[in-house]
Amino acid sequence: MTEAEDRKPQSDEARSGYDPELTSEFAIPAGLAVARPAGGEPETTSEFAVPAGVGQPAAAESEGSAFNTPRTYSAREAATAFTPAGGVPVVSLTKDAPWQDRMRTMLRMPVAERPAPEQAQKPDEGGGPAVPRVLDLTLRIGELLLAGGEGAEDVEAAMFAVCRSYGLDRCEPNVTFTLLSISYQPSLVDDPVTASRTVRRRVTDYTRLAAVFQLVDDLSDPEAHLSLEEAYRRLAEIRRNRHPYPTWGLTVASGLLAGAASVLVGGDPVVFVAAALGAMLGDRLAWLCAGRGLPEFYQFTVAAMPPALMGIVLTVAHVDVKASAVITGGLFALLPGRALVAGVQDGLTGFYITASARLLEVMYLFVGIVIGVLVMLYVGVQLGAHLNPDAALGTSNRPLWQIGAAMLLSLAFAVLLQQERSTVLAVTLNGGVAWVVYGALHYTGEISPVASTAVAAGLVGLFGQLLSRYRFASALPYTTAAIGPLLPGSATYFGLLAIAQNDVDKGLVSLSKAAALAMAIAIGVNLGSEISRLFLRLPGAGGAGRRAAKRTRGF
């Protein structure tokens, strides 16, 4: 190329860097003018973009919220609202009512209708509630209550009370037999926070249960100002506290319970001593099995053998005593009345999963007792022991002895449940009243034992609930031990004896009677508790009726 050619002006294509050999087949040919739309719409659009020509609102709408009224909503064209004739009652929760009633009332309300927290948030390090720590504290408290035998409804109410005391009112607790969970959502547009905890061990200690109830009561008090650190400290002290009664005291209480039960069904002092020795021996064997890590099923099986063996030995030795009363007294110390009442209560209050698990546990424990007694009865039959399943246990001609035995039985049962010493006297008197009512209805009034048991258990539940509300505590320490004299020990024994003697039909009839008595006890206790609430001041506003249970009819 010459110097003149180098000085030649470059064309437009050369200046623009256009090379025809390197173009794409999608490039716009030279000289073709493409019209651009008005407004400068970009070439790369979305399929969700509003097409050109469609009318847009004058002002751009801000980002919507669940609380904003929809743009297409018109109050004039809205459908008729179905409002009660008396209006929607405003719930005003009084601070004088027990926290159980207040929390249960709010749990039965939809989340959007729950009133705001009654008090300010508890002081904490960050100036507000540390949500994960509050949920952890709530789960730990619920674990102790559920492990102590408390009903699922009361555990749920306690968990809600703890969260609400720290300002977490939009929370939903959930209780099953072995799993506790709770979810908190600050608002409808925030992500929820969920935590759970597994209950792996259940220990009967009503003293610890009462202490946990006191902690929840203090947390619900707006004047207490209990911080998270203080609540954790008190909870740690509750877990570290030793049982109020030593191990040997529990063994002696088990013997007194069996001896009192044997006197209750017609035994004499010799029967009392034999039943007490058999029950204490069974209790020691059960402790030995527990120390070796055996499940409760085998513990109950082993514990049921010594009382039955004691009765068989007395029969083979031709000692003129009622061997049936000895074996019946030993069964009273083993029947799982506490778990039965809790299971039926959960079923009546709508917690069907927890109720099914509790009743299944009762069935397994009862089967363990049946196996232990049947083995001993079968051995006795083979040894020639003449045990009569038709033998009548005389109980109607000694009312004073029966009342004293019933009170002693309730006292020993309260010690086995590790109750506070301040509640032992009340539950002992409650057990005596229960037996007086049962004896008056069954022996004097000649009413069926099932109906008499249900009425007596209803009074136990009524008095227990009133005493618990008076002290703002759990009702279990005032009711569980008081139902001890009503447990179906004799019907269970005669049913097992008939089965051991190959009279299966008669044995099943007797066991069915025992099951009916057990259900009458559980339903009576729960019904008495519900009746007591009818006479208490409800935490709702005046004129507003009591809200239905969380899960009511199935349609």
Side-chain angles (χ1 to χ4, degrees):
M1 182 179 296
T2 63
E3 184 178 354
E5 290 176 346
D6 290 338
R7 290 196 299 266
K8 233 176 124 180
Q10 297 180 352
S11 64
D12 295 338
E13 293 178 356
R15 287 194 302 267
S16 62
Y18 173 76
D19 189 356
E21 297 180 358
L22 300 178
T23 56
S24 170
E25 60 182 359
F26 297 101
I28 300 175
L32 180 61
V34 180
R36 298 285 182 180
E41 182 180 357
E43 297 179 2
T44 305
T45 60
S46 170
E47 60 182 3
F48 300 102
V50 181
V54 177
Q56 299 291 337
E61 294 184 356
S62 60
E63 182 178 356
S65 171
F67 300 98
N68 292 342
T69 304
R71 183 168 52 85
T72 57
Y73 175 79
S74 174
R76 297 178 180 273
E77 301 176 0
T80 304
F82 294 94
T83 305
V88 179
V90 178
V91 178
S92 176
L93 302 177
T94 61
K95 300 177 182 178
D96 298 331
W99 62 265
Q100 298 99 315
D101 285 341
R102 291 185 284 131
M103 298 305 117
R104 188 180 290 110
T105 300
M106 283 187 287
L107 281 173
R108 292 175 179 177
M109 299 169 56
V111 177
E113 298 180 9
R114 293 174 184 170
E118 304 167 7
Q119 66 273 0
Q121 299 172 356
K122 296 288 190 297
D124 200 23
E125 297 83 355
V131 175
R133 297 191 65 202
V134 172
L135 298 184
D136 178 72
L137 175 67
T138 302
L139 291 174
R140 291 177 183 271
I141 290 177
E143 178 190 11
L144 288 180
L145 292 176
L146 189 62
E150 190 62 72
E153 185 180 27
D154 290 331
V155 175
E156 196 174 82
M159 293 173 65
F160 184 76
V162 175
C163 285
R164 188 175 175 82
S165 66
Y166 289 102
L168 309 185
D169 57 325
R170 299 181 62 87
C171 62
E172 288 294 342
N174 187 23
V175 178
T176 59
F177 186 56
T178 58
L179 181 64
L180 299 170
S181 63
I182 188 166
S183 178
Y184 169 68
Q185 188 173 13
S187 66
L188 293 178
V189 295
D190 291 329
D191 295 332
V193 180
T194 304
S196 62
R197 193 174 184 87
T198 302
V199 180
R200 303 187 182 276
R201 185 184 180 189
R202 290 178 293 277
V203 179
T204 303
D205 188 345
Y206 282 2
T207 299
R208 178 181 296 178
L209 191 70
V212 176
F213 260 76
Q214 184 61 46
L215 174 59
V216 177
D217 186 33
D218 293 341
L219 287 172
S220 303
D221 187 2
E223 299 178 358
H225 301 294
L226 208 63
S227 65
L228 273 174
E229 295 299 331
E230 178 66 17
Y232 268 108
R233 185 189 63 79
R234 288 184 53 179
L235 187 62
E237 291 179 354
I238 292 173
R239 297 180 69 95
R240 286 195 301 264
N241 283 347
R242 299 181 60 184
H243 300 304
Y245 307 103
T247 304
W248 63 265
L250 300 181
T251 301
V252 173
S254 178
L256 291 177
L257 191 155
S262 65
V263 174
L264 199 63
V265 294
D268 53 18
V270 177
V271 172
F272 179 93
V273 174
L277 291 177
M280 287 190 290
L281 180 58
D283 182 76
R284 287 290 87 195
L285 290 177
W287 276 100
L288 181 62
C289 293
R292 297 297 184 271
L294 290 178
E296 282 188 315
F297 177 85
Y298 302 105
Q299 297 176 28
F300 274 77
T301 301
V302 172
M305 291 182 177
L309 180 61
M310 191 69 65
I312 292 172
V313 169
L314 293 176
T315 302
V316 173
H318 302 288
V319 180
D320 189 15
V321 295
K322 292 182 178 180
S324 300
V326 175
I327 302 176
T328 300
L331 289 178
F332 266 86
L334 297 175
L335 293 178
R338 172 187 59 86
L340 175 67
V341 172
V344 175
Q345 179 183 359
D346 289 341
L348 294 176
T349 53
F351 294 84
Y352 301 114
I353 297 178
T354 308
S356 301
R358 288 186 190 272
L359 294 178
L360 185 63
E361 180 189 33
V362 171
M363 186 193 72
Y364 272 102
L365 298 181
F366 187 76
V367 170
I369 297 172
V370 167
I371 293 176
V373 175
L374 278 179
V375 169
M376 291 294 101
L377 291 179
Y378 181 77
V379 172
V381 170
Q382 298 301 317
L383 293 177
H386 298 287
L387 299 172
N388 185 10
D390 296 326
L393 297 177
T395 56
S396 59
N397 54 354
R398 303 185 305 172
L400 295 180
W401 282 95
Q402 296 165 17
I403 296 175
M407 297 178 65
L408 179 60
L409 192 154
S410 299
L411 173 63
F413 203 175
V415 174
L416 286 176
L417 294 174
Q418 303 278 5
Q419 291 190 196
E420 289 182 300
R421 292 180 174 85
S422 59
T423 63
V424 171
L425 178 60
V427 74
T428 301
L429 296 176
N430 202 6
V433 171
W435 184 257
V436 169
V437 173
Y438 173 79
L441 293 177
H442 179 53
Y443 299 117
T444 305
E446 297 182 353
I447 301 177
S448 68
V450 176
S452 303
T453 301
V455 174
L459 287 178
V460 168
L462 175 64
F463 294 152
Q465 193 67 234
L466 292 176
L467 287 172
S468 68
R469 296 309 172 90
Y470 174 73
R471 297 190 177 186
F472 285 65
S474 172
L476 290 181
Y478 301 99
T479 57
T480 305
I483 65 172
L486 305 176
L487 293 175
S490 59
T492 303
Y493 162 68
F494 287 130
L496 298 179
L497 179 59
I499 293 176
Q501 295 179 346
N502 293 326
D503 194 351
V504 179
D505 294 339
K506 192 173 183 179
L508 292 179
V509 170
S510 185
L511 291 179
S512 300
K513 178 182 177 182
L517 291 173
M519 293 298 293
I521 293 173
I523 295 176
V525 170
N526 181 264
L527 182 61
S529 301
E530 293 296 328
I531 291 176
S532 68
R533 291 175 183 152
L534 297 178
F535 300 98
L536 296 174
R537 181 177 57 180
L538 297 179
R546 181 185 178 188
R547 288 181 174 266
K550 184 174 62 175
R551 305 173 185 88
T552 52
R553 294 166 292 183
F555 55 84

